[in-house]
């Protein structure tokens, strides 16, 4: 049977909610994306990957997104931070060096203490141990710019791996794992869908569709996977989803609206996803 990969991209707390709503909605239509042979999570996608492999029912995860959010330190992905990321990515020809520049900026930035941020991540996850199912979480070494993939075979615990993948530069502190410090895997790519190379059926869930600077967008990565022979479908927020997610992806007050929009979108996406995900689903869609 063809191997299946689920790629979950970054997009902040509203992106998490939209992804959970979409996945729960598809499950209600008989399409179980959590049954993937591998789940690749970046930033928000690492949280969702940990959620759907935790053993909890998807409906319970969805309902949790509708509940009032737990009190957390307020955060904003402002234009100053976005502009800095775009400028660094656009003015460097070497992507590894560009990531190191961003990482070193993150190391010097004033943020909440790392220990306090870890407690937030730990409270957000329904489990603290790596799942039995293959989950791969992306991050970037803040000092060197090296891209890393964290999983159960390595030394990082799940909480620290997810915290590293979600460590937005300039917003949250880099995460210490061993003698290294890591920032958001989205610094390399908002979805890192190229990690699904070699899988025959791929679903990419991407709350944020664009890349920064030299980054390849999720659409570009989907096209490359398709050209290599995979059956691929790319799921991005529709107009209602974009509106619900809002301009600040770290605004937890919009979480319920984003989850509801994701679930509502599932019906429109079901045929395309089924065509890729199920062996008898028909022709490929992208």
């Amino acid at each position: 049977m063809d191997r299946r990969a689920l790629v979950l991209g970054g997009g902040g707390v509203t992106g998490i909610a939209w992804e959970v709503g979409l996945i729960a909605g598809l499950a209600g239509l008989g399409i179980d994306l959590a049954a993937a042979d591998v789940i690749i999570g970046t930033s928000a996608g690492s949280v969702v990957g940990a959620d759907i492999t935790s053993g909890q029912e998807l409906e319970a995860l969805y309902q949790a997104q509708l509940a009032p959010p737990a009190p957390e330190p307020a955060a904003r992905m402002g234009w100053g931070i976005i502009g800095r990321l775009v400028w660094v990515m656009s003015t460097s020809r070497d992507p590894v060096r560009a990531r190191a520049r961003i990482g070193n900026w993150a190391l010097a930035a004033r943020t909440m203490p790392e220990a306090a941020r870890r407690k937030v991540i730990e409270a957000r996850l329904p489990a603290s141990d790596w799942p039995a199912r293959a989950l791969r979480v992306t991050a970037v070494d803040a000092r060197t710019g090296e891209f890393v993939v964290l999983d159960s075979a390595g030394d990082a615990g799940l909480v620290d791996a997810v915290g590293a993948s979600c460590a937005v530069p300039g917003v949250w502190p880099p995460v210490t794992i061993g003698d290294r410090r890591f920032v958001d895997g989205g610094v390399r790519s908002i979805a890192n869908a190229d990690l699904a190379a070699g899988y025959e059926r791929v679903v990419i869930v991407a709350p944020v569709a664009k890349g920064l600077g030299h980054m390849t967008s999720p659409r570009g990565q989907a096209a490359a996977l398709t050209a290599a022979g995979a059956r691929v479908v790319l799921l991005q927020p529709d107009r209602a989803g974009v509106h619900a997610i809002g301009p600040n992806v770290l605004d937890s007050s919009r979480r319920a609206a984003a989850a509801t929009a994701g679930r509502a979108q599932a019906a429109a996406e079901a045929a395309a996803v089924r065509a890729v995900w199920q062996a008898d689903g028909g022709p490929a869609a992208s």
Side-chain angles (χ1 to χ4, degrees):
M1 180 179 291
D2 290 349
R3 297 181 306 158
R4 300 180 297 181
L6 173 62
V7 178
L8 302 170
V13 294
T14 51
I16 290 171
W18 178 81
E19 290 187 25
V20 170
L22 180 67
I23 292 168
L26 289 169
L29 298 170
I31 304 168
D32 184 10
L33 294 183
D37 295 291
V38 67
I39 296 174
I40 299 162
T42 293
S43 199
S46 72
V47 177
V48 178
D51 282 347
I52 66 175
T53 57
S54 68
Q56 288 203 22
E57 296 291 331
L58 288 173
E59 184 61 29
L61 294 171
Y62 172 70
Q63 292 297 326
Q65 294 297 321
L66 302 182
E72 292 183 7
R76 181 175 180 82
M77 187 71 170
W79 287 112
I81 292 173
I82 294 172
R84 184 167 190 138
L85 294 174
V86 171
W87 182 80
V88 171
M89 287 300 179
S90 300
T91 57
S92 177
R93 296 181 179 180
D94 182 344
V96 177
R97 184 173 296 179
R99 296 197 294 265
R101 288 171 64 190
I102 292 170
N104 280 277
W105 165 56
L107 289 168
R110 290 187 177 184
T111 63
M112 70 184 298
E114 183 180 347
R117 176 61 178 165
R118 190 182 191 281
K119 290 181 179 179
V120 171
I121 297 295
E122 189 171 24
R124 186 176 288 169
L125 299 181
S128 58
D129 295 325
W130 284 98
R133 186 164 296 156
L135 173 63
R136 297 175 183 168
V137 173
T138 67
V140 168
D141 187 304
R143 294 189 177 93
T144 68
E146 178 190 357
F147 176 63
V148 298
V149 179
L150 305 169
D151 59 21
S152 61
D155 295 331
L158 180 64
V159 174
D160 289 328
V162 171
S165 193
C166 293
V168 180
V171 178
W172 305 122
V175 170
T176 304
I177 300 175
D179 60 355
R180 304 171 74 182
R181 301 194 73 191
F182 295 94
V183 293
D184 198 311
V187 171
R188 190 256 187 178
S189 163
I190 198 65
N192 292 296
D194 56 317
L195 294 179
Y199 287 83
E200 290 79 16
R201 299 173 183 269
V202 183
V203 172
I204 303 170
V205 182
V208 177
K210 296 181 180 179
L212 295 177
H214 55 69
M215 290 183 187
T216 305
S217 68
R219 184 170 297 279
Q221 291 178 334
L225 291 168
T226 300
R231 299 163 69 89
V232 183
V233 64
L234 172 63
L235 305 178
Q236 302 170 94
D238 58 14
R239 183 174 298 180
V242 170
H243 177 74
I245 288 170
N248 177 20
V249 298
L250 302 180
D251 184 357
S252 60
S253 70
R254 303 182 72 99
R255 198 175 70 175
T260 302
R263 184 157 199 161
Q265 188 176 340
E269 307 287 1
V273 177
R274 188 176 287 113
V276 166
W277 204 244
Q278 298 176 357
D280 58 351
S286 62

